[in-house]
Coordinates of all heavy atoms in Angstrom, one line a residue:
V1 N 5.4 -4.5 2.8 CA 4.3 -4.6 3.7 C 3.4 -5.7 3.3 O 3.1 -6.0 2.1 CB 3.4 -3.3 3.6 CG1 2.2 -3.4 4.5 CG2 4.2 -2.0 3.9
L2 N 2.9 -6.5 4.3 CA 1.8 -7.4 4.1 C 0.6 -6.9 4.8 O 0.6 -6.6 6.0 CB 2.2 -8.8 4.7 CG 1.1 -9.9 4.7 CD1 0.7 -10.2 3.2 CD2 1.6 -11.2 5.4
A3 N -0.5 -6.7 4.1 CA -1.7 -6.1 4.6 C -2.7 -7.2 4.9 O -2.7 -8.2 4.3 CB -2.3 -5.1 3.6
Y4 N -3.6 -6.9 5.8 CA -4.6 -7.8 6.3 C -5.5 -8.3 5.1 O -5.9 -9.5 5.1 CB -5.5 -7.2 7.4 CG -6.7 -8.0 7.8 CD1 -6.6 -9.1 8.6 CD2 -8.0 -7.6 7.4 CE1 -7.7 -9.8 8.9 CE2 -9.1 -8.3 7.8 CZ -9.0 -9.4 8.5 OH -10.1 -10.1 8.9
N5 N -5.9 -7.4 4.2 CA -6.7 -7.8 3.1 C -6.4 -6.8 1.9 O -5.6 -5.9 2.1 CB -8.2 -7.9 3.4 CG -8.8 -6.6 3.8 OD1 -8.3 -5.5 3.5 ND2 -10.0 -6.7 4.4
D6 N -7.0 -7.1 0.8 CA -6.8 -6.2 -0.4 C -7.3 -4.8 -0.2 O -6.7 -3.9 -0.7 CB -7.5 -6.8 -1.6 CG -6.8 -8.1 -2.1 OD1 -5.7 -8.4 -1.6 OD2 -7.4 -8.7 -3.1
L7 N -8.4 -4.7 0.6 CA -8.9 -3.3 0.8 C -7.9 -2.5 1.6 O -7.7 -1.3 1.3 CB -10.2 -3.4 1.5 CG -11.4 -3.9 0.8 CD1 -12.7 -3.9 1.7 CD2 -11.7 -3.1 -0.5
V8 N -7.3 -3.1 2.6 CA -6.4 -2.4 3.5 C -5.1 -2.0 2.6 O -4.6 -0.9 2.7 CB -5.9 -3.2 4.7 CG1 -4.8 -2.6 5.4 CG2 -7.1 -3.3 5.6
A9 N -4.7 -3.0 1.8 CA -3.5 -2.8 0.9 C -3.8 -1.6 -0.1 O -2.9 -0.8 -0.2 CB -3.2 -4.0 0.1
I10 N -5.0 -1.6 -0.6 CA -5.3 -0.5 -1.6 C -5.4 0.9 -0.9 O -4.8 1.9 -1.4 CB -6.6 -0.8 -2.4 CG1 -6.4 -2.0 -3.3 CG2 -7.1 0.4 -3.1 CD1 -7.6 -2.6 -3.9
G11 N -6.0 0.9 0.3 CA -6.0 2.2 1.0 C -4.6 2.6 1.4 O -4.3 3.8 1.3
L12 N -3.8 1.7 1.7 CA -2.4 2.0 2.1 C -1.6 2.6 0.9 O -1.0 3.7 1.0 CB -1.7 0.8 2.6 CG -0.2 0.9 2.9 CD1 0.0 1.8 4.1 CD2 0.4 -0.5 3.2
I13 N -1.8 2.0 -0.3 CA -1.1 2.5 -1.5 C -1.6 3.9 -1.8 O -0.8 4.8 -2.2 CB -1.3 1.5 -2.6 CG1 -0.6 0.2 -2.4 CG2 -0.8 2.1 -3.9 CD1 -1.0 -0.9 -3.4
E14 N -2.9 4.1 -1.7 CA -3.5 5.4 -2.0 C -2.9 6.5 -1.1 O -2.6 7.6 -1.6 CB -5.0 5.4 -1.9 CG -5.7 4.5 -2.9 CD -5.8 5.3 -4.3 OE1 -5.5 6.5 -4.3 OE2 -6.2 4.6 -5.3
A15 N -2.7 6.1 0.2 CA -2.3 7.1 1.1 C -0.7 7.3 1.1 O -0.3 8.4 1.5 CB -2.7 6.7 2.5
L16 N 0.0 6.3 0.6 CA 1.5 6.5 0.5 C 1.9 7.5 -0.6 O 2.9 8.2 -0.4 CB 2.1 5.1 0.3 CG 2.1 4.1 1.5 CD1 2.7 2.8 1.0 CD2 3.0 4.7 2.6
E17 N 1.1 7.5 -1.6 CA 1.5 8.4 -2.8 C 1.6 9.8 -2.4 O 2.7 10.5 -2.7 CB 0.5 8.2 -3.9 CG 0.9 9.0 -5.2 CD -0.1 8.7 -6.3 OE1 -1.0 8.0 -6.2 OE2 0.2 9.3 -7.4
P18 N 0.7 10.4 -1.7 CA 0.8 11.8 -1.3 C 2.0 12.0 -0.3 O 2.5 13.2 -0.1 CB -0.5 12.2 -0.6 CG -1.5 11.1 -1.1 CD -0.7 9.9 -1.3
L19 N 2.4 11.0 0.3 CA 3.6 11.1 1.3 C 4.9 10.9 0.5 O 6.0 10.9 1.2 CB 3.4 10.0 2.4 CG 2.2 10.1 3.3 CD1 2.1 8.9 4.2 CD2 2.2 11.4 4.0
G20 N 4.8 10.8 -0.8 CA 6.0 10.7 -1.6 C 6.6 9.3 -1.6 O 7.8 9.1 -2.0
V21 N 5.8 8.3 -1.3 CA 6.3 6.9 -1.3 C 5.6 6.1 -2.4 O 4.3 6.0 -2.4 CB 6.0 6.2 0.1 CG1 6.4 4.8 0.1 CG2 6.7 7.0 1.2
G22 N 6.3 5.7 -3.4 CA 5.8 4.9 -4.5 C 5.7 3.4 -4.3 O 6.6 2.9 -3.6
V23 N 4.8 2.8 -4.9 CA 4.6 1.3 -4.9 C 4.7 0.8 -6.3 O 3.9 1.2 -7.1 CB 3.3 0.9 -4.2 CG1 3.1 -0.6 -4.2 CG2 3.2 1.4 -2.7
P24 N 5.6 -0.1 -6.6 CA 6.5 -0.8 -5.7 C 7.9 -0.2 -5.6 O 8.8 -0.8 -5.0 CB 6.6 -2.2 -6.3 CG 6.6 -1.9 -7.8 CD 5.7 -0.8 -7.9
G25 N 8.1 1.0 -6.2 CA 9.5 1.6 -6.2 C 10.1 1.8 -4.9 O 11.3 1.4 -4.7
D26 N 9.3 2.3 -3.9 CA 9.9 2.6 -2.6 C 9.5 1.5 -1.6 O 10.2 1.1 -0.7 CB 9.4 4.0 -2.1 CG 9.9 5.1 -3.0 OD1 11.1 5.2 -3.2 OD2 9.0 5.9 -3.5
V27 N 8.2 1.0 -1.7 CA 7.7 0.0 -0.8 C 6.9 -1.0 -1.6 O 6.1 -0.6 -2.4 CB 6.8 0.7 0.3 CG1 6.2 -0.4 1.2 CG2 7.6 1.6 1.2
S28 N 7.2 -2.3 -1.3 CA 6.4 -3.3 -1.9 C 5.2 -3.6 -1.0 O 5.3 -3.6 0.2 CB 7.2 -4.6 -2.1 OG 8.2 -4.4 -3.1
V29 N 4.0 -3.9 -1.6 CA 2.8 -4.2 -0.8 C 2.1 -5.4 -1.3 O 1.9 -5.6 -2.5 CB 1.8 -3.0 -0.9 CG1 0.5 -3.3 -0.2 CG2 2.4 -1.7 -0.4
I30 N 1.7 -6.3 -0.3 CA 1.0 -7.5 -0.6 C -0.3 -7.5 0.1 O -0.3 -7.1 1.3 CB 1.8 -8.8 -0.2 CG1 3.2 -8.8 -1.0 CG2 1.0 -10.0 -0.5 CD1 4.0 -10.0 -0.6
G31 N -1.4 -7.9 -0.5 CA -2.7 -8.0 0.1 C -3.1 -9.4 0.4 O -2.3 -10.3 0.3

């Protein structure tokens, strides 16, 4: 994932964890 900014990236990572998706193990994220 490429996010619009760091805040969006951080919010995304926080919300992926309860969905069982780890970063960067399952999904890589760039802000």
Side-chain angles (χ1 to χ4, degrees):
V1 179
L2 175 61
Y4 171 74
N5 64 19
D6 287 354
L7 290 179
V8 171
I10 290 169
L12 176 65
I13 295 171
E14 290 284 348
L16 286 175
E17 185 177 0
L19 298 176
V21 179
V23 176
D26 299 305
V27 174
S28 290
V29 176
I30 301 178

